[in-house]
């Protein structure tokens, strides 16, 4: 049944008893053309685009827990595409273009809210960094505005531009914003199932069958399955699955925490990021401030982080917004982020034939969801990455062609 | 928020330490003789196990010494800390 | 009329001490010892606020930190705080509070229309609509956002202060009820260091509100004695009004202490709240339990509250919340409250879901004239802003349905009790595992992970006698396990008239389809999640507990599901006909209760947000009106404006002074590392790209460091002071990173190398004097022979400068004749002032970082981090001259030969001169292949540095340009965001004194 205001009103007369399942729980079939391992936004999206754009008929998505339960449902929902390097800009902007039509495409409101994102600059060096990035964005056709201190103060009520590290300016991307994270997983799942994709939850992959260097099957907690192609999209467990297939990855899995405040009436209507003072914050539709910052430095799969990181989010938040000091932190949580050396993802082929991988999104995967899923679907279908995905191969770690977003923000003098 | 037993100073709070990733990765003796792929593996590829992990920490706000830690990445329990140069402990199967 | 609901006697409020307060603009009087909730109830105010989604009238449900409904906006102006639980606010004189989420008033709230439209707003409705047209979402969202949220954020800076305290202890006990107190006593008598935390202003917990006996005597007196003894133990620290918030790994707890929240006056000396960070060898959890609501239609009206809350308002505060009371229960224990209410003059009717009743209770009810409807359920309630009537109907438990006639009861207060849920939040945060207990039908602790004990009702055990003795013994045992002496065990006989032993979970009244249709059985009060929403989520496939939680938002309010979780899970279990154990539960995350953001930030605010590092000449710079820039934590003079000069005028003057006579720069912030040991030269050979073996004592050499990816990561001059003694300088921002880099290799890779590194950045003040007159100038102030022959360029000498022992390096970052004078930091300002005085005849000019940047750019010297960005090699920077070809190995070398690193079209470091000789290109602007009307345009590189050169009289720029070395003399274009297109010529990077004569003078 189509989701619409009309149907919502119509169903209210029957007390909403007649809505169909958004997705069902089919049994695992013995054989699939393509199995996607990982039921987050990227994995479900991959299955959706494989079915919709490439006509693949027999697809399953295997999720070890519940769909959207990994980083899809644990992030701070920021969406932007103002990356420095051409390769990143192309990938993330592809995603933003898809985000803009996603609610209609999926017939599921993912609440992509383009309320604008400000990257704050706190020093001469920061100003140089945002100017360089802003120009690069501008010339790549990505919207960018470089603002001075007065403009920032005017556009962001209540921000403290005269703190220990004063706000000297900002890079604004108006097309950036936030979306409802759960809705992305649910929307893709529902749309994928409508195209015949089997979404199998509570199904953990325990082994990968390889014959003559080609993937042929998977061992799961719900039995074994024969496959023609496999796409691994297992954020938080990339190395674990790669190890099953006999190769390793340039990845460390580290804890990343985020938190929300109690809900309050609208007070912040844009997204703020500060790399120097080190916090990012936006206000959700529910009214909660959604706050994030850096990850812990140690490897962990526990989905817990240290309290220090929480403290290191709250002090910068109060520094930038002294008015938030009396608000209350309501809930914090942790995720596992797979971090690559250059902070860019790995999308493409693996040493095993017909086994493809999409991982290493670090702290920035959510914003890329539709773009990542779209290019990965094509990669799995054609067996080769397209132009957007190609720079993100595993091979770049041997050639040295890193897409180093981390290096670009280096501080020295 | 671990308590880490620095081999030089004893038990201290995690906030005094920094983690520097996987331990026991020796720098190749002859970098010029190995392939780009081998060099790339040395630079970037890591075990990243779900389970026992050997990793390097420094006691930054203390003795500033580097040492190794054997820790379970699932429970975050530290099993052992030991000095640089000491052999990698065996993983028991208990 | 005031305090009309106050009983004639009873309660612990001080009736001699009236307190004036204001709620929703109206003045009231409460008593000392009241909470805001009890004072409002005493004054017959039941309508406290409006719910999140449907704007339903809401009152007071509980009497503690689990309150979902009675949350208010507290205080005014910069001190206002949203979402404060009225049940926890201790009344103080002049308190002002108001209802939230209502307009224009809580009595007449426009938003309440939502309640009538609620049929089209089930859980998740927004996923199904507002999608068309896509561009309109921001418009719809604007209204959704306005309707959401609860209270208002302050809009002024918080005037209050918060503190943090680090605390180490043997045992931390969370919860100051009877179990916690006795555990503290057991451990305290053993002599170990005990911290007892309780969130209430008074110790005693549950027993403060109920009658009990110890050894057949009144328990209250005994309780008082226990507390007295604890207060007398020096090794026991008691924190009241303190909520344990987070339970992190290795027994690390955080707790928030309300220090002055309940004060009449705001304190200038005390913080408002204190954030405790506690490391504990052992933790004993004794947090007790929360009473569980019952789920029935319209169970949310003001006047409906938990039985235990009614008990507390009556016995603690002397407030009778209603006169014609219905108790709706599924267990024996709640009858205690019925008896108490009768005793204080209320008429009580009991609706009990069970058909068998304990004979003793039956008899007592009879004797107190309490009508008991056995095997009945409340099925609906009425009353606009307060409950005034309920409907009840018989329950057929076997067939799981309601039967018989609907009966009406008029009432002004419904007390409900659905059993008790242990407060397992902290336990669960500590990774403790839970199991479902079929006797009390809730989750109880199962497996403990940390070094911890969990006792009393927190452990799912409700027998007073057992809890007394076992808690005391747990305290002793905990101390014992930490090697403290045993103390004598005590055997108390404790008794409550009726104890909580077991209860069912009650989703059966939902079994009938009818009751889920259109009526609202609230599961989560604050977020307006009804039983129908849980049904809907299951129907639509949101079956995992996490999906149900996220789809319906149950358990996601400010109470974090303390009252709703178990009922939601039980309902899911009912719907799927599966045991609750198989349904599972969501993960509890910190904090236990909402905690103040400012308290977590603590003192790391304003100036203390991050330390400011200052050089020993800093105050002189301040006095001489320097404008500062932040470089890392350092404050560096950016420029020294004179007479209203702007930055350009000042920099021009400063530049020309250096080129023509004499300038002085405070270079103290440069990183300085002292290297000693016989293997230092060998070590430097590995660290730097160039060769160090032949550097003579007394000589300096510039070096470039690469990381193992072959990318430039720092640079600086290192000098050989003695046979095995070197002095390394680094960039200001890179000092710590370099130090750590050196140590990493010495300590982990080359353990046999004998080299010791010491950071000496702050030991030396560095005065860099530069300009053609610098030799003449310095000559008079030092005993060092400055002659060209005896102290040539790139040499180092020791001697005295202005009578102070100094190290002088003849190195130059400006291209002029320069000396870097290093003196012990404590003499920095003294020597600086001497220089300024003596330099007058040369018009000595202090200059800042901007002038330094211009001067070095004129010479084409790179700034790591500005001209490089972590993705460029020495070769990219045209610095092959500093990369040794002979050395077999150094850090980064191997990466130079990778396929991408040898690519010929990499970006290379070049100079740019704009053709109009006027435009200063923005640093960060890009060179494109071809200027088009509008983007996208293919980029070839970017401008890294760009200045007006006062020396040359036109702008100069440095840039990274694809294949730049083969483009010398070519024309390029730089499009600006304002639409202008700037043409420029590619040049080499040295714009001034190409031969380098000047610094060799």
């Amino acid at each position: 049944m189509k989701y619409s205001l009309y149907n919502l009103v119509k169903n209210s007369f029957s007390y909403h008893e007649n809505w169909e399942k958004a997705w069902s729980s089919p049994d695992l079939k013995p054989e699939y053309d393509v199995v996607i391992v990982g039921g987050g936004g990227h994995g479900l999206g991959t299955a959706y685009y494989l079915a919709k754009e490439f006509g693949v008929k027999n697809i399953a998505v295997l999720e070890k827990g519940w769909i959207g339960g990994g980083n899809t449902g644990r992030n701070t929902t920021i969406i932007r595409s103002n990356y420095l390097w051409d390769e990143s800009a192309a990938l993330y902007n592809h995603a933003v273009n898809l985000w803009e039509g996603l609610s209609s495409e999926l017939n599921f409101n993912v609440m992509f809210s383009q309320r604008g994102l400000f990257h704050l600059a706190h020093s001469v060096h920061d100003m140089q960094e945002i100017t360089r990035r802003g120009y690069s964005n501008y010339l790549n056709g990505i919207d960018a505005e470089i603002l001075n201190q007065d403009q920032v103060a005017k556009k962001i009520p209540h921000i403290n531009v005269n703190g220990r590290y004063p706000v000297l300016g900002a890079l604004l991307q108006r097309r950036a914003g936030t979306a409802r994270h759960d809705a992305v997983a649910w929307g893709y799942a529902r749309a994928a199932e409508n195209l015949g994709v089997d979404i199998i939850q509570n199904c953990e992959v325990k082994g990968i069958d390889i014959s003559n260097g080609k993937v042929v099957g998977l061992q799961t907690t719900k039995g074994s399955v024969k496959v023609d192609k496999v796409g691994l999209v297992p954020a938080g467990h990339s190395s674990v699955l790669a190890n099953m297939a006999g190769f390793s990855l340039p990845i460390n899995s580290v804890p990343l925490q985020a938190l929300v405040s109690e809900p309050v009436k609208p007070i912040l209507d844009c997204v703020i990021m500060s790399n120097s003072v080190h916090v990012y914050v936006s206000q959700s539709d529910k009214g909660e401030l959604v706050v994030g910052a850096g990850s812990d430095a140690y490897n962990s799969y526990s989905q817990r982080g240290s309290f220090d990181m929480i403290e290191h989010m709250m002090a910068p938040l109060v520094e930038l917004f002294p008015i938030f000091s009396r608000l209350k932190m309501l809930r914090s949580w942790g995720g596992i982020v797979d971090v690559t050396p250059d902070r860019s993802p790995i999308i493409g082929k693996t040493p095993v034939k017909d086994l493809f991988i999409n991982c290493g999104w670090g702290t920035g995967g959510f914003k890329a969801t539709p773009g990542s899923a779209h290019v990965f679907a094509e990669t799995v279908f054609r067996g080769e990455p397209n132009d957007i995905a190609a720079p993100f191969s595993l091979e770049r770690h041997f050639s040295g062609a890193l897409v180093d977003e981390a290096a670009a923000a280096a501080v020295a003098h | 928020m671990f308590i880490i037993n620095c081999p030089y100073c004893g038990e201290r709070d995690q906030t005094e330490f920094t983690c520097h990733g996987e331990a026991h990765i020796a720098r190749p003796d002859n970098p010029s003789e190995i392939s780009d792929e081998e060099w790339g593996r040395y630079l970037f590829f890591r075990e990243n196990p779900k389970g026992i992990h050997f990793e390097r920490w420094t006691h930054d706000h203390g003795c500033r010494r580097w040492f190794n830690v054997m820790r379970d990445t699932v429970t975050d329990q530290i099993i052992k800390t030991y000095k640089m140069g000491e052999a990698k402990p065996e993983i028991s199967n208990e | 009329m005031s305090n009309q609901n106050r009983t004639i006697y009873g309660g612990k409020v001080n009736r001699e001490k009236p307190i004036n307060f204001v709620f929703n603009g109206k003045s009231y009087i409460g008593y000392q010892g009241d909470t805001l909730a009890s004072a409002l109830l005493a004054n017959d105010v039941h309508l406290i606020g409006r719910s999140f989604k449907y704007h339903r009238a809401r009152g007071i449900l509980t009497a503690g930190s689990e309150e979902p409904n009675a949350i208010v906006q507290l205080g005014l102006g910069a001190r206002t705080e949203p979402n404060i639980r009225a049940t926890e606010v201790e009344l103080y004189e002049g308190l002002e509070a108001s209802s939230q989420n209502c307009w224009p008033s809580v009595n007449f709230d426009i938003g309440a229309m939502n309640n009538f439209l609620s049929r089209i707003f089930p859980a998740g409705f927004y996923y199904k609509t507002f999608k068309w047209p896509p561009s309109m979402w921001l418009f719809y969202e604007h209204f959704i956002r306005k309707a959401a949220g609860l209270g208002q954020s302050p809009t002024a800076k918080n005037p209050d202060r918060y503190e943090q305290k680090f605390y180490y202890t043997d045992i931390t006990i969370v919860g100051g009820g009877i179990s916690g107190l006795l555990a503290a006593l057991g451990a305290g008598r053993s002599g170990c260091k005990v911290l007892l935390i309780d969130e209430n202003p008074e110790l005693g917990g549950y027993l403060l509100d109920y009658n009990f006996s110890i050894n057949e005597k009144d328990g209250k007196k005994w309780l008082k004695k226990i507390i007295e003894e604890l207060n007398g133990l020096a090794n026991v620290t008691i924190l009241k009004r303190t909520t344990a918030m987070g339970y992190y790994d290795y027994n690390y707890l955080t707790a928030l202490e309300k220090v002055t929240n309940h004060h009449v006056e705001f304190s200038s000396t005390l913080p408002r709240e204190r954030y405790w960070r506690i490391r504990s060898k052992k933790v004993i959890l004794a947090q007790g339990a929360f009473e569980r609501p019952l789920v029935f239609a319209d169970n949310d009206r003001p006047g409906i509250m938990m039985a235990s809350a009614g008990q507390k308002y009556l016995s603690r505060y002397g407030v009778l919340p209603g006169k014609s009371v219905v108790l709706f229960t599924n267990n024996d224990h709640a009858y205690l409250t019925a008896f108490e209410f009768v005793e204080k003059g209320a008429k009580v009717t009991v609706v009990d879901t069970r058909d068998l009743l304990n004979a003793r209770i039956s008899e007592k009810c009879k004797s107190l004239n309490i009508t008991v409807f056995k095997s009945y359920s409340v099925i609906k309630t009425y009353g606009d802003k307060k409950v005034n009537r309920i409907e009840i109907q018989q329950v057929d438990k076997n067939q799981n349905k309601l039967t018989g006639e609907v009966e009406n009861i008029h009432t002004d207060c419904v007390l409900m009790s659905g059993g008790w849920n242990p407060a397992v939040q902290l336990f669960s945060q500590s990774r403790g595992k839970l199991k479902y207990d079929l006797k009390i039908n809730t989750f109880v602790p199962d497996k403990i992970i940390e070094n911890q004990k969990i006792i009393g009702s927190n452990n799912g055990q409700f027998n007073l006698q057992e809890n007394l003795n076992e808690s005391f013994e747990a305290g002793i045992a905990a101390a014992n396990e930490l090697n403290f002496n045993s103390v004598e065990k005590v055997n108390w006989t404790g008794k409550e008239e009726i104890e909580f032993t077991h209860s069912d979970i009650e989703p059966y009244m939902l079994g009938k389809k009818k009751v889920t249709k259109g009526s609202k059985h609230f599961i989560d009060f604050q977020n307006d999640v009804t039983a129908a929403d849980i049904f809907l989520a299951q129907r639509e496939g949101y079956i995992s507990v996490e999906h149900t939680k996220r789809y319906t938002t149950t358990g996601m309010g400010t109470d974090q599901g303390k009252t709703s979780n178990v009922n939601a899970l039980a309902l899911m279990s009912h719907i799927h006909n599966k045991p609750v154990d198989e349904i599972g539960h969501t993960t509890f995350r910190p904090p236990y209760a909402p905690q103040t953001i400012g308290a977590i930030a603590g003192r790391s605010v304003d100036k203390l947000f991050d330390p400011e590092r200052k050089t020993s000449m800093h105050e002189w710079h301040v006095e001489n009106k320097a404008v500062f820039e932040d470089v890392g934590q350092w404050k560096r003079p950016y420029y020294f404006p004179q007479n209203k000069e702007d930055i350009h005028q000042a920099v021009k003057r400063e530049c020309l002074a250096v080129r023509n006579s004499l300038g002085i720069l405070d270079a103290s912030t440069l990183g300085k590392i002292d290297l000693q040991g016989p293997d230092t030269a060998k070590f430097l050979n590995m660290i730097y790209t160039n060769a160090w073996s032949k550097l003579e004592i007394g000589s300096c050499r510039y070096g470039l460091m690469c990381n193992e990816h072959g990318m430039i990561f720092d640079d600086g001059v290192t000098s050989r002071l003695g046979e095995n003694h070197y002095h390394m300088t680094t960039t200001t921002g890179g000092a710590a990173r370099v130090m750590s880099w050196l140590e990493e290799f010495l300590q982990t890779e080359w353990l046999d190398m004998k080299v010791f590194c010491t950071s000496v950045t702050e030991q030396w003040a560095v005065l860099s004097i530069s300009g053609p007159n610098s030799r003449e100038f310095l000559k008079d102030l030092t005993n060092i022979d400055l002659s060209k022959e005896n102290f040539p360029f790139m040499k180092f000498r020791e001697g005295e400068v202005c009578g102070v022992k100094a190290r002088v390096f003849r190195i130059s970052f400006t291209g002029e004749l320069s000396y870097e004078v290093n003196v012990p930091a404590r003499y920095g300002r003294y020597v600086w002032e001497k220089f300024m005085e003596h330099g007058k005849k040369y018009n000595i000019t202090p200059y800042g970082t901007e002038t330094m940047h211009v001067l070095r750019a004129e010479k084409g010297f790179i700034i790591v981090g500005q001209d490089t960005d972590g993705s460029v090699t020495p070769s990219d920077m045209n610095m092959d001259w500093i990369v040794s070809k002979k050395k077999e190995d150094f850090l980064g070398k191997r990466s130079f030969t990778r396929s991408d690193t040898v690519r010929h079209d990499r970006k290379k470091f070049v100079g740019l001169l704009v053709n109009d000789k006027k435009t200063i290109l923005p640093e960060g602007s890009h060179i494109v292949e071809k200027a088009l009307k509008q983007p996208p345009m293919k980029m070839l590189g970017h401008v890294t540095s760009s200045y007006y050169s006062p020396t040359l009289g036109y702008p100069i720029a440095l840039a990274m340009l694809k294949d730049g070395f083969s483009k010398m003399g070519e024309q390029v274009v730089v499009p600006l965001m304002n639409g202008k297109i700037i043409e420029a010529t590619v040049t080499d990077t040295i714009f001034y004194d190409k031969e380098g004569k000047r610094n060799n003078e």
Side-chain angles (χ1 to χ4, degrees), chain A residues 32-38 42-51 53-61 214-215 227-234 346-350 352-359 371-387 389-390:
Chain A
Y32 288 96
D33 292 340
V34 178
V35 169
I36 301 298
V37 180
H42 293 233
L44 292 163
T46 304
Y48 168 76
Y49 292 116
L50 272 171
E53 300 207 355
F54 301 102
V56 180
K57 290 275 182 280
N58 191 19
I59 308 172
V61 177
K214 181 197 181 311
V215 66
V227 292
D228 191 30
K229 288 181 176 181
V230 173
L232 302 178
V233 200
I346 296 164
I347 309 171
K349 298 198 274 190
T350 69
V352 179
K353 188 167 184 303
D354 292 332
L355 179 71
F356 304 90
I357 195 158
N358 180 359
C359 66
S372 156
H374 193 255
V375 301
F376 191 55
E378 187 169 341
T379 303
V380 172
F381 178 71
R382 297 194 195 290
E384 289 290 336
N386 66 9
D387 288 350

Side-chain angles (χ1 to χ4, degrees), chain C residues 313-595:
Chain C
Y313 288 118
L314 188 53
S315 67
R316 234 6 207 294
Y317 306 105
V319 173
L320 198 58
K323 293 184 178 61
S324 186
V325 177
V326 171
L327 170 71
F328 183 24
T329 181
N330 67 354
N331 62 76
D332 289 349
H333 176 261
Y335 279 82
L336 283 177
T337 303
F339 303 155
E340 186 85 18
F341 268 69
V342 171
E343 197 175 302
K344 294 284 159 55
K347 176 179 169 288
V348 177
T349 307
V350 175
V351 179
D352 195 320
T353 61
R354 304 164 301 168
D355 50 2
L356 282 172
L357 193 55
N358 173 316
R360 196 160 48 85
I361 294 175
S362 266
E363 259 166 48
K364 183 148 181 184
C365 285
K366 210 175 276 174
S367 70
L368 292 174
N369 246 338
I370 298 173
T371 315
V372 181
F373 289 89
K374 281 190 277 187
S375 237
Y376 264 81
S377 173
V378 178
I379 59 163
K380 195 160 174 53
T381 74
Y382 296 88
D384 183 16
K385 280 156 196 147
K386 191 187 171 197
V387 64
N388 56 25
R389 176 166 68 88
I390 61 169
E391 286 176 0
I392 64 171
Q393 201 177 3
Q394 196 150 25
V395 178
D396 180 342
K397 265 207 171 171
N398 293 324
Q399 295 186 47
N400 198 21
K401 62 175 195 180
L402 302 169
T403 89
E405 287 290 299
V406 173
E407 294 175 49
N408 278 282
I409 302 175
H410 289 272
T411 175
D412 57 358
C413 176
V414 177
L415 304 172
M416 60 178 161
S417 176
W420 292 78
N421 301 327
V424 292
Q425 286 82 356
L426 274 191
F427 174 75
S428 182
Q429 279 184 38
S430 76
R431 304 190 196 220
K433 300 275 177 293
L434 302 174
K435 65 178 177 207
Y436 193 76
D437 184 310
L438 289 167
K439 205 168 118 211
I440 56 174
N441 276 296
T442 187
F443 283 96
V444 298
D446 184 16
K447 201 174 148 211
I448 292 173
I449 303 293
E450 287 281 0
N451 195 343
Q452 175 200 82
K453 293 180 192 297
I454 183 159
I455 57 174
S457 56
N458 204 4
N459 199 24
Q461 196 172 295
F462 291 86
N463 179 285
L464 178 64
Q465 167 90 9
E466 282 173 18
N467 282 345
L468 291 175
N469 296 312
E470 287 176 14
S471 299
F472 185 66
E473 281 166 31
I476 298 172
N480 239 323
E481 287 157 24
L482 296 173
N483 296 321
F484 286 86
N485 290 336
S486 257
V487 295
E488 210 182 318
K489 288 182 183 166
V490 185
N491 247 319
W492 290 287
T493 312
K495 212 165 164 347
E496 274 192 280
E497 188 184 342
I498 306 170
E499 290 195 325
F500 177 65
T501 51
H502 64 280
S503 73
D504 280 347
I505 188 93
E506 310 287 356
Y508 61 85
M509 58 280 274
L510 303 160
K512 284 195 50 163
K513 243 183 174 182
K514 197 179 130 206
V515 283
T516 69
K517 278 189 175 174
S519 60
K520 293 194 176 63
H521 303 58
F522 284 95
I523 300 264
D524 184 308
F525 292 92
Q526 191 181 95
N527 275 354
D528 281 339
V529 181
T530 66
D533 290 325
I534 306 278
F535 272 99
L536 176 66
Q538 310 313 306
R539 271 201 304 280
E540 294 196 84
Y542 298 89
I543 290 165
S544 132
V545 279
E546 283 287 350
H547 284 153
T548 300
K549 166 181 145 185
R550 286 154 181 259
Y551 192 64
T552 63
T553 73
T554 188
M556 296 181 83
T558 63
D559 58 322
Q560 291 282 291
K562 291 194 184 81
T563 53
S564 62
N565 271 342
V566 177
N567 281 331
L569 296 172
L571 180 53
M572 289 174 69
S573 136
H574 168 77
I575 295 168
H576 296 294
N577 199 17
K578 266 192 200 169
V580 184
D581 254 346
E582 282 178 34
I583 298 293
H585 56 83
T586 56
T587 318
F588 293 97
R589 301 279 190 183
Y592 169 79
Q595 58 183 349

Side-chain angles (χ1 to χ4, degrees), chain C residues 173-239:
Chain C
I173 298 166
V174 184
I178 190 61
S179 293
L181 290 169
L182 287 178
L185 192 68
R189 281 185 187 169
S190 305
C192 74
K193 189 173 170 185
V194 176
L195 179 69
L196 177 68
I197 298 173
D198 189 79
E199 65 180 346
N200 298 300
E202 195 178 349
L203 296 173
Y206 165 89
L207 290 187
L208 292 172
D209 309 328
Y210 288 84
N211 293 317
F212 66 104
S213 68
I214 298 292
N215 299 340
E216 289 169 14
K217 284 185 201 144
D218 177 14
K220 297 261 152 75
K221 280 181 190 153
W222 171 86
L223 183 63
K224 215 174 144 196
K225 266 180 24 201
I226 297 283
I227 295 169
E228 269 168 22
E229 182 179 346
L230 278 173
N231 280 329
L233 289 174
N235 53 327
V236 176
T237 304
I238 298 172
L239 291 177

